[in-house]
Amino acid sequence: MMKPGPFARRREAKKLDSELGNLLWRQAHDRFARSLDRYWQVVESERTSPVPKEEYNGLVNAGNALVDALATVRSICAEARERYGEHELNVPAGAHEVHRMMSRAANDLAATAQAAAMYKRGQANLLSVGRRAEKVLDSVTAAEDLMKR
């Protein structure tokens, strides 16, 4: 898969700016996206210990589920910006739980990347990666449910 060129990245950044602004909700989205990028860097890096193909496929499948969650995170953040507005980087009244779930999802995704790195080094098992990925998806689902209220 080819990475997008500078013009495509700039176009996407402008689109994100129009949807999410460049303050609180953009920051929440970008933290999740950076953690997801880190996860893929770990998964696609050279293996430091032999990983069976079916277990590697498990890492990829978990990553694919997390990629799907990025679209949900984007829509949650866009809707939250529309509903609650932006007040610099301060969380607006009524948005605390949604923002907390978005922060938790990004933090859990960073921990998922760390668990994957430890697994690839032979210091953890694949179940720990799966449990972490499930926590990410649970937080995204919780935020989505809060936005439906």
Side-chain angles (χ1 to χ4, degrees):
M1 182 170 102
M2 285 184 42
K3 290 191 177 202
F7 295 113
R9 286 192 301 268
R10 207 172 345 203
R11 203 170 30 249
E12 180 63 18
K14 284 183 179 184
K15 188 175 178 183
L16 280 171
D17 284 347
S18 69
E19 285 179 31
L20 306 176
N22 54 13
L23 297 171
L24 181 72
W25 300 109
R26 175 65 184 267
Q27 181 185 57
H29 171 273
D30 288 355
R31 286 182 63 219
F32 189 93
R34 282 192 307 272
S35 295
L36 184 59
D37 285 345
R38 182 66 188 131
Y39 178 85
W40 283 109
Q41 289 170 359
V42 168
V43 170
E44 294 174 348
S45 68
E46 289 296 316
R47 300 177 193 172
T48 54
S49 64
V51 177
K53 186 174 182 170
E54 55 277 351
E55 291 181 10
Y56 178 77
N57 288 342
L59 291 172
V60 170
N61 287 334
N64 288 339
L66 296 169
V67 167
D68 292 343
L70 180 61
T72 304
V73 166
R74 183 174 178 163
S75 68
I76 290 167
C77 290
E79 185 179 339
R81 179 181 182 230
E82 190 175 298
R83 183 183 299 179
Y84 301 111
E86 290 185 301
H87 308 285
E88 303 275 321
L89 293 176
N90 299 319
V91 180
H96 291 283
E97 282 300 308
V98 173
H99 187 265
R100 188 171 69 84
M101 288 296 112
M102 292 287 86
S103 293
R104 180 181 287 176
N107 289 339
D108 286 339
L109 185 46
T112 304
Q114 182 180 18
M118 291 175 66
Y119 166 72
K120 288 184 78 177
R121 290 179 170 260
Q123 298 174 350
N125 61 33
L126 192 58
L127 288 175
S128 64
V129 178
R131 280 193 300 271
R132 292 283 186 178
E134 285 176 14
K135 287 179 72 173
V136 173
L137 299 175
D138 289 346
S139 294
V140 172
T141 300
E144 190 174 33
D145 291 345
L146 288 166
M147 291 304 292
K148 290 179 183 175
R149 294 182 187 171

